Amino acid sequence: MENHTLPMDLMREILLRLPVRSVSRFKCVCKSWLSIISDPQFGNSHYDLAAAPSHRLILRPKCYSLEVQSIDTDAPPDTCSAAMYLLLPLQSPPPKPNDYDNYDGLPNRAKILGSCRGFILLYYEMSRDLIMWNPLTRFRKRSLNFENMLTHRFLYGFGYDTSTDDYLLIMIPFYWKTEIQVFSFKTNSRNRKMIKLNVPYQGIGSKFSIGSLLNETLHWLVFSKDKWVDVIIAFDLIKRSLSEIALFDHLTKKKYEMFSLRVIGGCLSVSCSDQDWAMTEIWIMKEYKVQSSWTKSFVIPTYGFSPICITKDGGILGSNMRERLEKHNDKGELLEHLACVAAAGEEYYCANQDQQSAMYRESQLFPNVSWETSEDHQQ
């Protein structure tokens, strides 16, 4: 009988070119496929070669719940791939369902601190657990007894340093001392980077505390006390250096209210409203760090709209002032409201201010980290 088995090298090349969710399912086909797909180098190669990356939005309900919703932002709302429910990793020790008496009244909720290369960074305020979690593979890594009150005391951001193959959490104190703290997930350790700040900055609200990752650099919107305008500060994860990016000229001439700093379409963007509060303007920096490239790309005829992503059809998905999802076309016209409701009837909201949501790209990556592992079971 002829042997029709493909060579392992050829099978690996075929698997590298398949969609990430298909690859995830194919681990169950046979031991040889499981071995190929479970190789960390395969995950890195698949991430770099992916012809059609899959991007999803993760949402956490405001109530105490271990369930989150993951939405394919490009799939039609009525398809099975559009939304799915996932169980979050537990904090340690697991909380009691009626244990609500701390901070904002909901201490056991996981706060979403950002995403990078398919990983979601979660933080439990009560137990101080910091968990790096891959929603697709259910792989997780946990750091115990981390910084107390992290989300109340720092600007923070989650990113990846390609030069050291290391995932990092950057923390900048609200009170603007000259040290920037860099936590390494590879070594489970923290160092303090002394950086002289020539211009005094000030945080402008908790919804701007989460850094936006672009070009291996984290970005925050802050207020410059020296220039008396809002500016973007950028921390380069490889060079470990801090720089400033100017906003468009209008902010130096006219008072705007800022709603968000995001990365959409591979570019920095801000959403804002002028004093009449009649509409929201979305400005996109078409060329990185070039002030003249700021372009008013969308005008949404409502106050307080915050963009999340540009969809494949050229429209824009975002959240309104009530923190509910809605989709607009490229002319700013409302196309639909997207209601996200849990099985128990609790509605999901999309708000950076309460660390409830994040965009992420699905991946088969496994991090190169050395600290204690707790692997999730299939949920």
Side-chain angles (χ1 to χ4, degrees):
M1 181 181 293
E2 290 187 54
N3 186 354
H4 295 288
T5 304
L6 292 174
M8 289 289 284
D9 287 348
L10 179 57
M11 182 56 64
R12 183 179 186 276
E13 291 301 313
I14 293 173
L15 290 171
L16 280 173
R17 285 155 176 78
L18 295 178
V20 64
R21 298 197 69 81
S22 298
V23 170
S24 182
R25 291 195 299 269
F26 290 164
K27 288 191 291 187
C28 302
V29 172
C30 61
K31 290 183 178 179
S32 60
W33 286 22
L34 174 62
S35 176
I36 293 173
I37 296 169
S38 299
D39 179 6
Q41 187 55 50
F42 175 88
N44 289 329
S45 298
H46 187 272
Y47 188 85
D48 293 335
L49 292 173
S54 172
H55 294 90
R56 302 185 71 92
L57 173 66
I58 193 167
L59 299 172
R60 176 182 62 77
K62 285 189 174 181
C63 68
Y64 168 72
S65 174
L66 295 176
E67 185 181 74
V68 292
Q69 189 175 58
S70 176
I71 301 171
D72 184 342
T73 55
D74 285 313
D78 56 348
T79 62
C80 60
S81 65
M84 59 185 182
Y85 297 95
L86 304 171
L87 293 180
L88 290 169
L90 290 173
Q91 63 175 319
S92 54
K96 298 177 182 178
N98 61 348
D99 190 2
Y100 288 100
D101 53 346
N102 199 4
Y103 304 131
D104 57 358
L106 297 171
N108 293 327
R109 299 179 306 169
K111 294 188 174 183
I112 300 172
L113 303 191
S115 69
C116 178
R117 291 164 58 86
F119 294 99
I120 306 292
L121 186 60
L122 304 171
Y123 174 68
Y124 285 98
E125 200 161 63
M126 175 174 281
S127 64
R128 293 191 291 168
D129 281 3
L130 191 67
I131 302 175
M132 190 174 165
W133 173 53
N134 186 323
L136 180 64
T137 65
R138 308 296 197 267
F139 181 87
R140 75 183 187 218
K141 290 280 188 175
R142 182 191 307 271
S143 178
L144 302 174
N145 298 316
F146 199 71
E147 184 75 36
N148 186 32
M149 301 284 285
L150 186 160
T151 58
H152 298 268
R153 298 169 53 206
F154 298 92
L155 302 181
Y156 50 86
F158 179 45
Y160 176 71
D161 181 350
T162 56
S163 67
T164 58
D165 187 25
D166 194 4
Y167 292 87
L168 306 173
L169 172 63
I170 308 301
M171 297 179 291
I172 304 177
F174 273 134
Y175 38 85
W176 296 109
K177 286 187 177 179
T178 56
E179 65 179 25
I180 293 178
Q181 301 184 28
V182 180
F183 178 80
S184 164
F185 288 88
K186 189 175 183 178
T187 63
N188 193 33
S189 63
R190 186 186 325 188
N191 63 62
R192 289 168 168 80
K193 173 73 174 179
M194 301 302 294
I195 294 179
K196 185 176 181 181
L197 300 177
N198 296 320
V199 178
Y201 300 111
Q202 176 180 306
I204 58 175
S206 59
K207 66 180 178 181
F208 296 106
S209 297
I210 302 177
S212 296
L213 181 64
L214 177 67
N215 298 333
E216 297 179 316
T217 302
L218 285 163
H219 304 81
W220 295 270
L221 191 65
V222 297
F223 180 74
S224 169
K225 293 182 180 179
D226 182 54
K227 300 177 182 178
W228 210 247
V229 294
D230 293 335
V231 297
I232 296 171
I233 56 170
F235 184 77
D236 189 308
L237 295 171
I238 297 177
K239 297 178 181 178
R240 302 290 202 274
S241 61
L242 192 70
S243 60
E244 184 180 299
I245 300 175
L247 291 171
F248 44 93
D249 289 340
H250 291 72
L251 288 186
T252 63
K253 300 174 183 177
K254 187 177 182 181
K255 177 65 177 177
Y256 272 68
E257 181 176 358
M258 308 300 294
F259 299 122
S260 69
L261 169 67
R262 293 269 196 172
V263 175
I264 59 173
C267 299
L268 288 176
S269 75
V270 293
S271 65
C272 55
S273 248
D274 60 17
Q275 290 179 325
D276 62 15
W277 292 5
M279 58 188 60
T280 301
E281 298 176 2
I282 299 172
W283 290 73
I284 296 178
M285 182 177 249
K286 300 289 188 177
E287 188 174 349
Y288 187 60
K289 287 193 173 182
V290 177
Q291 184 181 14
S292 60
S293 72
W294 281 108
T295 305
K296 183 161 60 173
S297 302
F298 296 90
V299 177
I300 309 298
T302 185
Y303 171 76
F305 181 85
S306 295
I308 294 172
C309 66
I310 296 176
T311 56
K312 287 182 179 179
D313 59 8
I316 189 162
L317 179 71
S319 59
N320 59 27
M321 280 296 288
R322 295 184 177 182
E323 302 173 357
R324 288 170 171 81
L325 291 175
E326 56 186 39
K327 183 177 178 181
H328 295 255
N329 62 19
D330 57 356
K331 297 178 181 178
E333 298 167 337
L334 179 64
L335 297 179
E336 59 182 332
H337 290 281
L338 303 178
C340 305
V341 182
E346 175 70 18
E347 188 169 355
Y348 288 83
Y349 295 85
C350 185
N352 262 356
Q353 185 170 356
D354 202 22
Q355 298 88 27
Q356 291 177 214
S357 65
M359 285 290 298
Y360 71 100
R361 174 182 165 183
E362 291 185 301
S363 79
Q364 284 285 333
L365 292 170
F366 290 86
N368 180 16
V369 291
S370 61
W371 31 290
E372 179 264 333
T373 303
S374 177
E375 294 190 9
D376 253 332
H377 298 290
Q378 189 75 18
Q379 299 177 11

